[in-house]
Amino acid sequence: MQRLQTRPQFQATMSGGTISRTEHFALHRLVLTEADVAKDAAPTGPGALLSEQAPKALFVVPGCHVPQVWLGPLVPKRWAKRSVTRHAIKRQIYAVASEFNAQLQALPPAAYVVRLRAGFDRKQFISACSDTLKDAVRAELQQLFAAAVRKAAGPSKVQSASAPPAIQG
């Protein structure tokens, strides 16, 4: 699993749309195309030998030919004031995503952003890095990823199951 690192990667992924939501989190997904995951991207930028600049692929890992899953957490200060809380939530995101890695690899190559969209109640979770907060975050993230995997893998199964039977006559 690759990690999103640049602002354009996060922006492109979030433009792909929301695939799953819980009370505190939203999961955005961008299904990657051949242009996004170009394996042998042409050199771009200053010093490139091209007569005109080609667009740079956002999701490139040189020499990697397996389907890729990209992941990035987005935990704003607005919803988690203390850095210890933000980092604990990010660690939980990566840990839960690694549990779902095999299921995500089975889907088409995609980039995912897990966004914290609401703060956790400070009266209920007094400590910034308590075990109860970690358990609550972990449970909600598991619910988020399970729903996303079901939704991403399910359209073909759902359509075939809900198709009306053929009328013979």
Side-chain angles (χ1 to χ4, degrees):
M1 184 175 297
Q2 302 292 324
R3 293 186 178 190
L4 299 178
Q5 295 181 351
T6 64
R7 183 181 180 107
Q9 287 177 328
F10 277 89
Q11 289 174 333
T13 303
M14 291 184 67
S15 71
T18 303
I19 188 171
S20 172
R21 285 186 185 177
T22 61
E23 182 182 351
H24 294 98
F25 293 99
L27 182 65
H28 300 271
R29 180 181 74 166
L30 174 69
V31 177
L32 301 177
T33 63
E34 290 295 323
D36 296 327
V37 292
K39 291 162 185 69
D40 299 319
T44 61
L49 300 176
L50 301 173
S51 59
E52 67 181 62
Q53 298 296 317
K56 185 176 179 184
L58 290 175
F59 305 96
V60 177
V61 177
C64 185
H65 300 289
V66 296
Q68 300 171 9
V69 175
W70 292 77
L71 178 72
L74 187 61
V75 185
K77 283 185 180 180
R78 177 181 181 185
W79 301 119
K81 300 285 186 203
R82 299 183 62 188
S83 67
V84 66
T85 306
R86 291 193 304 275
H87 287 99
I89 291 173
K90 287 179 185 181
R91 283 192 296 274
Q92 288 294 325
I93 290 170
Y94 284 123
V96 172
S98 68
E99 293 174 8
F100 284 89
N101 190 25
Q103 295 166 341
L104 294 174
Q105 289 284 346
L107 300 173
Y112 298 91
V113 170
V114 178
R115 179 175 56 91
L116 181 64
R117 63 187 197 109
F120 285 90
D121 185 21
R122 287 186 173 183
K123 293 178 182 174
Q124 185 179 0
F125 304 106
I126 297 170
S127 175
C129 195
S130 65
D131 289 333
T132 56
L133 178 62
K134 288 179 185 178
D135 292 341
V137 168
R138 185 174 202 80
E140 200 166 323
L141 287 170
Q142 287 173 337
Q143 178 185 358
L144 181 81
F145 276 101
V149 168
R150 254 191 334 270
K151 189 173 183 180
S156 61
K157 294 177 186 174
V158 171
Q159 288 175 355
S160 64
S162 65
I167 300 174
Q168 296 181 6

